[in-house]
Amino acid sequence: QRAEDFGELIVGSAQGRPLRIADIGRVEDASVEPRALARLDGHPAVTLLVRKQTGTNTVAVIETVKKRLERIHSTLPADIDIQMVRDQSRFIGKSIDEVKLHLVLAGILVSLTVMLFIANLRATLIAAVAIPTSIIATFTVMRYLDFTLNNVTMLALVLAIGIVIDDAVVVLENIYRRIEEKGERPFEAAINGTREIGLAVMATTLSLVVIFLPIAFMDGYAKRFINPFGWTMAFSILVSMLVSFTLTPMLSSRFLRLADGEADHQTKDQGFFKKLDSWYGRTLAWALEHPGLVIAISIATTLAAYPLNRMVGREFVPNEDMGEWTIHVDTPEGTSIEGTKDVAFQLLKELSGIEGVAQIEPSIGVSGPGGNSTHIHFLCQALPIEERSVTQAQMITEMRHRLAAHPAYRPSITSRNALGSGEGAGGFALSANLLGPDLDQLTDFSMKALDAIHKVPSITEPKISLNVSNPEIHVAVDRRRAADLGVRMATVGNTLRLAVSGDDEISFYKEGQEQYPVKIRVLENQRRDVEEIGRLTVPSTTGPVRIDNIARIERGVGPSALQRSNRQFTVMVTADVAPGHALDEASNDLRAMLADLGMPPTMTWRLQGQSKILDETTANLMMAIGLAMIFVYMVLASQFESFIQPVVIMLALPIAVPFALLTLWLSGRTLNLWSALGMLLLLGIVKKNAILQVDYANVLRGQGKSARDAIFEAARTRLRPVLMTTSAIIAGLIPTALG
């Protein structure tokens, strides 16, 4: 009935008297020996981590959890409080709000850009209607494909704003030009202008769609982000073509006036555009007269992409200021949880007072294998970005500077990534697995790898998952002597596990509605004494036998945990990229270092985490771009009914790439998932402009003009729509670039 009653249980007899548990030991109604602890604002805490199911919405789950916590809070005792220390929906909410603002600003800037070129309010409004029409219609396919409004799909919509207005602008400008130059009534101009430009609009739109559709079918880790992006972009562009062929001509026929054409004629024949047109005409004439030089410059520009590509670093996604990061610290193996707690509080005191840091929550053991009491991690959170003047990177740099005074604790810092790290890398930028069948050999090479990494300038904070300095007591059994005495090996192991570790639940005890395990073990001072452990007895065929009669007992060290992968022992090497270096550079240096270790054929290594994701994403993107170029050629060849003209159009693409790489290099940015999507967008824009020129040149050739005259007139006629569409796209990107 009571825990104390266990002490009255009779377990044997001595000198004719019953022997009770209380005669040889003591019974304690106690708690399990703690292997982990957490603190929040100096008070003991229990951390509850809630994970959402795959396929569910993060924000919806978190909102539901918050409502449940409010109900739970009212049922708790007065001295127990609940605090939300980590909430992923905060960053999501702020990001979405920011992108919504970008969406609105981009729409306004794009409309103002059109107004700047056309200088007519009615025409601007006709073009601007294409933006909400295309964007809102895109929600239909997003709903059908079960997409959510997240950073990726919202980014696609923001990028699409400058593109979806392009088709409407091109159609509107052509209608406007026919009213101005040919004096057609708006109704006739709407029909004739749309028919004249229809092929070019269809070619530009379909060739853009086939650029973004292949990336929607990319495989690998990036698929979860790229797939919604590709579909959202492709559908919004298709809707914009439909709008430009229907809504834009209809509105133009109803709301444009002949007087608008006269006003536009005056705008084009004077002022800035007149000077720009004159300068462009002279430049174009010079280019047509010096084709060899133009081609040579183009080839040189294209070849510049190779050195620039080597100068620009690559990574999966750039680090974002999410205001959240984790510090990992390991105390020496064998340190008690009390000793680890003292270290945690001392480090917490040293890390306090850093500008911009809102909270540091230490936890011990919860991240270690099996609740390793020597592992500490500090969950750090910054003040909201609008309430601080320092960046997350600056705060982390200061923390690294302070932690550098404790190299024995092997401190490392990992930042939270908006897209996740993948492959179980624990948030580390660099991760590699060493695999082998021999643990001693694997240990030797993992230590060599650790020493070699410290000499690599592009890598910082290296660590290995294997620790072979865990204090142990080794029991080496003399198997022949044990067999002679009739002692089985399993009996020795079970006895030690029961008496020393105390892991076995020999029974259970029920008190009211609660059930507790009953465990048995020798006293703590006897568990720590090698000689006392040797005095433990095990049953044999001839009677009790002391363990030290059949085994050699000695102190030693061993691994704290063993990890396996593909039926082999494995050690994970983790590290971060040093400041001023890119992930691809650090990954290549890590590969070279591992290759130079001279591992035997029985051992292998493989990169994990962001390095693996980067390689996988790069390969998939290159394949997607290659397929996109093939599809673009096929679309253009079918539209222009020519095998040569698509080549002329696509030759403009490689000339644009070096300038994108140069921009990344000058701004100190990397070639990552986002900038790669920007490169795709760039290829679509450059091709779009070329199509407008080639298409109108074909129209003029059909009217009997020579090739040179047709090219010259087509380029000048399409100057304004090219400038308008390009400027509109740039205007749409400005909020995102500066946000």
Side-chain angles (χ1 to χ4, degrees):
Q1 300 299 317
R2 299 176 305 137
E4 291 79 7
D5 293 344
F6 281 100
E8 299 302 317
L9 291 177
I10 297 174
V11 294
S13 62
Q15 299 175 354
R17 297 177 58 187
L19 190 64
R20 294 175 172 81
I21 290 179
D23 296 328
I24 58 173
R26 64 174 183 266
V27 178
E28 295 179 353
D29 185 0
S31 59
V32 176
E33 182 180 336
R35 301 289 294 170
L37 61 86
R39 289 289 187 273
L40 182 62
D41 298 330
H43 300 290
V46 174
T47 302
L48 177 66
L49 179 64
V50 182
R51 297 184 184 274
K52 74 180 184 72
Q53 291 182 347
T54 303
T56 54
N57 183 270
T58 303
V59 177
V61 170
I62 292 175
E63 290 301 318
T64 307
V65 168
K66 287 179 178 178
K67 292 177 182 177
R68 296 288 178 89
L69 285 176
E70 290 177 2
R71 297 209 313 247
I72 295 172
H73 195 274
S74 60
T75 65
L76 295 176
D79 59 342
I80 294 181
D81 189 26
I82 296 179
Q83 290 188 32
M84 189 82 67
V85 295
R86 188 175 187 179
D87 180 0
Q88 291 191 5
S89 66
R90 284 197 295 251
F91 179 80
I92 295 173
K94 288 185 176 180
S95 296
I96 296 299
D97 289 342
E98 184 78 3
V99 179
K100 284 179 182 175
L101 177 62
H102 295 171
L103 202 63
V104 175
L105 288 177
I108 295 172
L109 288 174
V110 167
S111 302
L112 290 176
T113 303
V114 176
M115 181 69 179
L116 182 65
F117 281 91
I118 295 184
N120 184 282
L121 183 59
R122 279 194 296 270
T124 302
L125 291 177
I126 291 171
V129 166
I131 296 176
T133 308
S134 303
I135 297 299
I136 294 172
T138 306
F139 293 152
T140 306
V141 74
M142 292 176 64
R143 180 75 179 92
Y144 177 75
L145 295 174
D146 202 25
F147 294 160
T148 59
L149 286 177
N150 52 58
N151 281 350
V152 177
T153 53
M154 291 291 282
L155 174 67
L157 294 176
V158 172
L159 297 183
I161 281 184
I163 298 176
V164 297
I165 200 175
D166 280 4
D167 291 342
V169 165
V170 171
V171 171
L172 177 67
E173 197 277 339
N174 206 50
I175 294 171
Y176 219 86
R177 187 178 58 82
R178 293 188 74 90
I179 295 174
E180 171 204 332
E181 295 180 1
K182 301 184 181 299
E184 294 180 353
R185 291 185 300 109
F187 189 85
E188 296 172 354
I191 296 174
N192 297 331
T194 305
R195 182 183 293 121
E196 182 183 59
I197 202 72
L199 176 64
V201 171
M202 188 177 296
T204 56
T205 302
L206 294 180
S207 58
L208 259 178
V209 169
V210 297
I211 281 181
F212 289 105
L213 268 187
I215 68 170
F217 293 96
M218 270 179 56
D219 202 2
Y221 184 80
K223 177 182 178 180
R224 67 187 73 178
F225 316 112
I226 294 297
N227 180 269
F229 179 89
W231 280 110
T232 304
M233 286 290 290
F235 191 76
S236 62
I237 294 167
L238 279 174
V239 174
S240 73
M241 180 179 69
L242 180 64
V243 170
S244 68
F245 284 162
T246 55
L247 187 61
T248 303
M250 186 276 292
L251 292 176
S252 300
S253 68
R254 299 296 179 184
F255 294 102
L256 290 183
R257 301 288 183 267
L258 286 172
D260 295 335
E262 296 174 2
D264 186 56
H265 185 74
Q266 295 175 358
T267 304
K268 290 171 63 176
D269 287 347
Q270 59 187 357
F272 172 74
F273 190 81
K274 176 65 175 177
K275 296 178 181 177
L276 180 63
D277 182 57
S278 300
W279 173 83
Y280 177 66
R282 293 192 300 271
T283 306
L284 182 61
W286 180 89
L288 293 174
E289 291 168 3
H290 302 83
L293 183 58
V294 171
I295 291 173
I297 294 173
S298 301
I299 293 174
T301 303
T302 302
L303 293 177
Y306 292 99
L308 284 169
N309 184 52
R310 300 178 67 88
M311 294 162 61
V312 176
R314 290 188 300 117
E315 59 185 344
F316 178 50
V317 288
N319 289 327
E320 296 187 52
D321 192 335
M322 300 181 70
E324 190 174 299
W325 62 95
T326 304
I327 304 173
H328 304 268
V329 173
D330 292 288
T331 56
E333 288 295 332
T335 306
S336 67
I337 194 166
E338 290 298 323
T340 304
K341 183 178 72 172
D342 293 340
V343 171
F345 286 163
Q346 178 61 35
L347 292 177
L348 185 61
K349 189 182 298 182
E350 293 180 18
L351 292 172
S352 62
I354 295 177
E355 183 184 357
V357 177
Q359 181 175 273
I360 303 177
E361 179 197 357
S363 298
I364 298 173
V366 291
S367 288
N372 187 358
S373 62
T374 62
H375 181 83
I376 313 169
H377 74 265
F378 299 88
L379 177 61
C380 306
Q381 292 189 329
L383 292 169
I385 200 164
E386 63 272 8
E387 297 179 17
R388 52 183 163 94
S389 58
V390 292
T391 64
Q392 175 178 303
Q394 290 172 323
M395 289 181 275
I396 290 177
T397 300
E398 176 60 26
M399 286 189 168
R400 281 183 170 142
H401 176 70
R402 297 188 183 190
L403 290 170
H406 306 282
Y409 297 151
R410 300 186 298 156
S412 61
I413 298 178
T414 57
S415 302
R416 185 178 156 204
N417 192 311
L419 299 187
S421 303
E423 301 295 332
F428 292 96
L430 295 169
S431 177
N433 277 354
L434 306 185
L435 300 98
D438 189 310
L439 182 60
D440 293 335
Q441 189 181 56
L442 186 63
T443 302
D444 182 44
F445 277 98
S446 63
M447 297 304 295
K448 289 181 180 178
L450 188 62
D451 291 338
I453 290 178
H454 279 101
K455 302 173 184 177
V456 180
S458 61
I459 301 176
T460 185
E461 296 181 349
K463 299 176 78 169
I464 58 173
S465 61
L466 180 66
N467 195 323
V468 292
S469 59
N470 191 38
E472 294 181 338
I473 293 177
H474 295 164
V475 180
V477 179
D478 186 335
R479 291 176 180 264
R480 180 175 297 178
R481 184 171 177 79
D484 291 342
L485 294 174
V487 178
R488 299 173 59 196
M489 291 293 292
T491 304
V492 178
N494 290 337
T495 300
L496 290 171
R497 189 173 67 250
L498 180 71
V500 180
S501 298
D503 291 335
D504 289 4
E505 297 180 9
I506 62 171
S507 182
F508 64 87
Y509 165 64
K510 192 171 184 180
E511 186 177 65
Q513 298 299 316
E514 300 294 334
Q515 182 173 297
Y516 304 99
V518 177
K519 298 184 178 184
I520 185 170
R521 68 197 304 191
V522 298
L523 297 174
E524 183 177 356
N525 62 332
Q526 296 171 341
R527 297 197 303 269
R528 295 180 178 276
D529 191 331
V530 175
E531 294 181 359
E532 291 288 347
I533 292 175
R535 294 190 185 103
L536 292 174
T537 60
V538 291
S540 70
T541 55
T542 59
V545 175
R546 283 176 44 156
I547 289 179
D548 56 7
N549 281 339
I550 58 171
R552 185 179 71 257
I553 304 175
E554 56 189 19
R555 292 186 180 275
V557 293
S560 56
L562 295 178
Q563 296 174 325
R564 287 181 178 270
S565 178
N566 292 342
R567 296 184 175 184
Q568 290 185 305
F569 290 112
T570 181
V571 176
M572 179 176 284
V573 180
T574 56
D576 202 355
V577 180
H581 298 269
L583 177 61
D584 66 324
E585 178 190 356
S587 298
N588 292 334
D589 290 344
L590 181 60
R591 285 190 184 92
M593 184 276 298
L594 292 173
D596 291 341
L597 285 180
M599 295 183 191
T602 55
M603 287 185 62
T604 57
W605 58 269
R606 62 189 182 199
L607 292 186
Q608 299 289 336
Q610 291 187 25
S611 299
K612 179 181 177 182
I613 294 171
L614 174 63
D615 293 340
E616 180 185 78
T617 304
T618 301
N620 286 332
L621 272 174
M622 294 302 293
M623 181 178 292
I625 291 173
L627 288 173
M629 293 302 100
I630 294 172
F631 295 152
V632 165
Y633 178 83
M634 293 168 62
V635 168
L636 295 179
S638 63
Q639 291 289 311
F640 286 97
E641 298 181 353
S642 168
F643 291 110
I644 301 299
Q645 290 184 9
V647 176
V648 174
I649 293 170
M650 296 178 68
L651 279 176
L653 302 182
I655 301 175
V657 172
F659 294 97
L661 295 173
L662 180 64
T663 303
L664 292 174
W665 181 68
L666 291 176
S667 59
R669 288 172 169 79
T670 58
L671 187 58
N672 51 63
L673 183 61
W674 306 134
S675 49
L677 295 179
M679 297 277 278
L680 276 172
L681 184 63
L682 170 68
L683 298 180
I685 296 168
V686 174
K687 166 193 55 57
K688 196 180 182 85
N689 295 337
I691 289 172
L692 292 176
Q693 295 174 326
V694 173
D695 171 70
Y696 194 57
N698 286 337
V699 172
L700 296 175
R701 288 294 303 278
Q703 296 174 1
K705 294 197 175 184
S706 65
R708 188 189 185 287
D709 292 342
I711 292 170
F712 187 81
E713 185 176 341
R716 290 191 63 183
T717 302
R718 294 297 187 223
L719 175 62
R720 186 165 69 160
V722 165
L723 290 176
M724 287 171 65
T725 54
T726 305
S727 301
I729 292 173
I730 293 173
L733 294 175
I734 286 175
T736 302
L738 301 181

